[in-house]
Amino acid sequence: MNNRKLITAFRIFKSGFQGFIRNASLSIAAVAVMSITLTIILFSIVSNATFTNSIKQITDKIDISVFLKDTVTTEQRDKLMRDLKNNPDISSVEFVTKEQALEAYKKASASNPELLSAISQTDNPLPASIKIKPADPNKIDEIQAFVSTDEIKALSERTDTQEERMSAVNKITAATNFFQQAGIAGVVVFAMVSMLIIFNTIRMTIFNRRDELQ
């Protein structure tokens, strides 16, 4: 009984191996296409995660700075900050004093003694500012329009937006969308090709075994 099972199993493996050899080209093509399809899927997932993380890191550093005039009172500043916090397009608002701005400037210019010497020869010329973090980088224009109203412009010297960072975000977002669409298209095409090859492989197998099936 055991010998018969072994013989049967041997025949099954032998038959399968022979069938694989007979249809080697189709089998290899099916395996290759499936491998490419899975590779594209994996690449799409990894690329999407990488680009998404890069976008998040850059967008976290994007902000709009509203530089206040020295004549702005505490009441005016507090009211302005309340108005900004009530804006749904803004995630956070931070007040930066003149002293904090000067310390930040000194740290940024630590490698340039000429700049440090120039600023040390005068009173603190840097204005206080309000740093605004957008809730959505795509809403930068709306926030820019909000801080450009006459009421806010009367309290501020100017506003500053990190256009270079915003440009980088837009480029990475465009690249992410392109790779996502290209990945989806590639997966669909190779999946269809895989199905056709597998279907033809099954048909060839049935055709080669037609006598046994009958």
Side-chain angles (χ1 to χ4, degrees):
M1 186 69 178
N2 291 333
N3 290 335
R4 184 177 299 176
K5 289 182 179 180
L6 291 174
I7 293 173
T8 301
F10 175 75
R11 288 177 178 175
I12 291 173
F13 283 111
K14 181 180 178 181
S15 177
F17 181 75
Q18 289 175 345
F20 184 83
I21 296 299
R22 290 171 185 170
N23 304 289
S25 58
L26 287 175
S27 300
I28 293 173
V31 172
V33 173
M34 289 298 294
S35 299
I36 293 173
T37 303
L38 294 175
T39 301
I40 292 176
I41 294 174
L42 178 62
F43 176 78
S44 300
I45 294 173
V46 173
S47 298
N48 183 61
T50 302
F51 283 123
T52 301
N53 183 60
S54 299
I55 291 173
K56 185 178 184 303
Q57 289 181 349
I58 295 177
T59 52
D60 286 342
K61 297 179 181 179
I62 291 178
D63 57 56
I64 298 176
S65 294
V66 178
F67 297 96
L68 303 176
K69 295 179 179 179
D70 291 341
T71 56
V72 172
T73 64
T74 303
E75 291 75 14
Q76 290 175 320
R77 183 196 70 201
D78 292 342
K79 181 181 181 301
L80 174 57
M81 292 186 68
R82 284 196 301 270
D83 292 341
L84 292 172
K85 290 178 180 178
N86 291 331
N87 190 315
D89 295 329
I90 297 175
S91 64
S92 66
V93 177
E94 178 187 357
F95 175 65
V96 180
T97 65
K98 292 172 63 69
E99 292 73 20
Q100 290 173 331
L102 180 60
E103 288 300 319
Y105 179 84
K106 289 180 178 180
K107 289 181 180 179
S109 306
S111 60
N112 194 327
E114 293 181 359
L115 293 177
L116 292 176
S117 175
I119 200 154
S120 64
Q121 294 176 5
T122 62
D123 293 334
N124 186 357
L126 300 178
S129 63
I130 297 177
K131 187 177 294 184
I132 303 168
K133 288 283 186 181
D136 182 354
N138 296 321
K139 299 293 185 179
I140 287 287
D141 291 338
E142 286 81 351
I143 299 174
Q144 191 73 44
F146 181 79
V147 299
S148 298
T149 58
D150 293 337
E151 181 182 359
I152 296 179
K153 288 176 69 175
L155 304 177
S156 63
E157 295 181 346
R158 63 186 176 88
T159 59
D160 180 44
T161 308
Q162 284 82 2
E163 296 293 341
E164 293 182 356
R165 292 177 182 172
M166 194 62 205
S167 176
V169 170
N170 292 333
K171 290 179 181 179
I172 294 176
T173 301
T176 301
N177 294 332
F178 171 78
F179 279 111
Q180 285 178 340
Q181 295 174 1
I184 292 173
V187 168
V188 171
V189 170
F190 280 102
M192 293 178 64
V193 172
S194 299
M195 292 177 64
L196 290 175
I197 291 177
I198 293 171
F199 179 71
N200 286 331
T201 302
I202 294 173
R203 288 186 61 188
M204 289 294 296
T205 302
I206 294 174
F207 180 79
N208 290 335
R209 300 295 182 86
R210 60 187 182 279
D211 295 334
E212 298 176 14
L213 293 175
Q214 290 176 357

